[in-house]
Amino acid sequence: MARTQGSHSDITGPRVRTAALRLFAQHGYAAVSMRQIAREVGVQAGALYNYTPDKQSLLFGLMKQHMDELLAARAELSATGDAVTDLEAFTRMHIRFHRARPEEVFIAYMELRNLTAENFDAIETLRRTYEDQLEAILRAGVASGDFAVGDPKIATMAVIAMLTGVNTWFREGGRLSLDEVGQIYWDMVRKTVGR
Amino acid sequence: MARTQGSHSDITGPRVRTAALRLFAQHGYAAVSMRQIAREVGVQAGALYNYTPDKQSLLFGLMKQHMDELLAARAELSATGDAVTDLEAFTRMHIRFHRARPEEVFIAYMELRNLTAENFDAIETLRRTYEDQLEAILRAGVASGDFAVGDPKIATMAVIAMLTGVNTWFREGGRLSLDEVGQIYWDMVRKTVGR
DNA sequence: GTTTTAAACGAACGAACGTTCAGATATTCT
DNA sequence: AGAATATCTGAACGTTCGTTCGTTTAAAAC
């Protein structure tokens, strides 16, 4: 046997990425074998190499795309010139974006150490770019007198850690909707950086 | 050859745990082989089984001990009856404790999915116990009128995520001492839960 | 000084790993 | 219809995995 009915690159390719995403998130990159991914796709292990040069590229591709999408989502927010409004938009965007992609977020945070040195640097640069955007908002707010943060860099890390933490406990269908959670966190963020 | 000079259970046992801790933290549980651990200890792979029934127990032991120590450190804080004072003590303890054990903390957060179901439940129970202690402080502060948090459970998760996040960026010898960081975070935590 | 025991070696087990590749077949192109 | 191409199979490569175990030796007990 060989090529089966209805097999296409356009179909199998995305399925490989989806399967890898799910399995990496659930068991971890190192614990997942190419044969497991292949089984989930419904294909033999060798066929995966039509879609990725190797396992490492599969991981890097997922992380790279995730970071690109994150920066794109951030770029879509239009700056108002008012630091408070911008921070609120950033806060709600961050929560919504991360909540919509729990598996990507998990991988992006947990599998950094399984990247090669070059791939690691590439992802870290993107992450740093994102953090810098929040830091810029905080600095603008300090300059305008809206915020009172002694150390904008630390406040940036604190806010991001706080917001990303939502993913560890939020479950769809719980006692709070995502919008309610967004409101609660915005209240906390505002107080954290406020005067 | 067999037993080498000066070899003792009291020496090798801790060294096995230390090596596993370091390697698990650096590369991840699944990516570390028993032979790697043995090499770091200076022993053959088979000898490890004098100190652990299997690889899984090695991981669980590290995580269990870490959580036990965390709860012990928390228990050492004497409640003053004043929620603000108690929260400050909790905040500083959390940062200090986590900073002193970056490898244990990393493992405790990253390797949960590599635990068997029973072991996972055991660790989760301990973590939940710790979280409940912070939640109790927040509720007390709300009752006394010192804090204004609409949802103590969420505020608990937010504060813990914020504080644990210190480990992702803090480096000894940087521009801030750990005590300075503790002060900055206490300022932020106070504002986050304040009125 | 002899016996017992604790601790480690080193080889071996079957299974699984990532990756390669010749061959087979469905689809597409001419 | 026939040639070319894209896609997948299935077997195989050498390597490594966690774990077991008979054997060996240093240390402890007597």
Side-chain angles (χ1 to χ4, degrees), chain A residues 110-111 148 151 175 191-192 194, chain B residues 113 148 151 175 191-192 194:
Chain A
M110 308 277 270
E111 303 297 354
D151 193 307
R175 52 180 250 269
K191 290 199 290 182
T192 301
Chain B
R113 60 186 165 186
D151 193 307
R175 52 180 250 270
K191 289 199 290 183
T192 303

Side-chain angles (χ1 to χ4, degrees), chain B residues 3-4 6-18 41 43 47 50-51:
Chain B
R3 188 178 195 181
T4 53
S7 64
H8 286 295
S9 183
D10 332 8
I11 297 174
T12 307
R15 280 176 38 102
V16 169
R17 294 175 59 87
T18 302
V41 175
V43 106
N50 290 322
Y51 304 99

Side-chain angles (χ1 to χ4, degrees), chain A residues 39-178:
Chain A
R39 195 179 317 130
E40 180 131 330
V41 175
V43 107
Q44 292 296 317
L48 298 180
Y49 291 85
N50 290 323
Y51 305 98
T52 180
D54 46 39
K55 193 185 175 191
Q56 166 75 201
S57 302
L58 206 43
L59 174 62
F60 177 67
L62 292 172
M63 294 179 65
K64 173 76 160 66
Q65 181 180 339
H66 174 66
M67 295 308 296
D68 286 343
E69 288 176 0
L70 175 59
L71 287 171
R74 157 59 185 157
E76 272 187 13
L77 302 179
S78 41
T80 63
D82 175 44
V84 177
T85 308
D86 287 350
L87 181 58
E88 178 176 358
F90 188 97
T91 297
R92 295 188 188 273
M93 177 276 295
H94 186 98
I95 290 177
R96 208 179 321 111
F97 183 90
H98 281 67
R99 188 55 234 169
R101 299 160 177 79
E103 293 173 327
E104 285 89 342
V105 171
F106 206 68
I107 290 174
Y109 276 78
M110 308 277 270
E111 303 297 354
L112 282 170
R113 59 185 165 185
N114 286 311
L115 292 175
T116 62
E118 309 158 303
N119 287 346
F120 177 85
D121 289 345
I123 299 296
E124 271 302 292
T125 299
L126 295 175
R127 184 195 309 287
R128 184 54 182 269
T129 301
Y130 183 70
E131 290 170 1
D132 286 348
Q133 313 235 20
L134 174 55
E135 189 180 331
I137 295 176
L138 295 184
R139 287 190 187 281
V142 170
S144 67
D146 289 316
F147 301 153
V149 285
D151 193 307
K153 265 199 199 323
I154 291 188
T156 297
M157 300 309 288
V159 168
I160 287 184
M162 187 168 126
L163 296 181
T164 306
V166 171
N167 267 35
T168 66
W169 59 266
F170 183 81
R171 295 293 169 263
E172 222 77 44
R175 52 180 250 269
L176 294 169
S177 73
L178 189 56

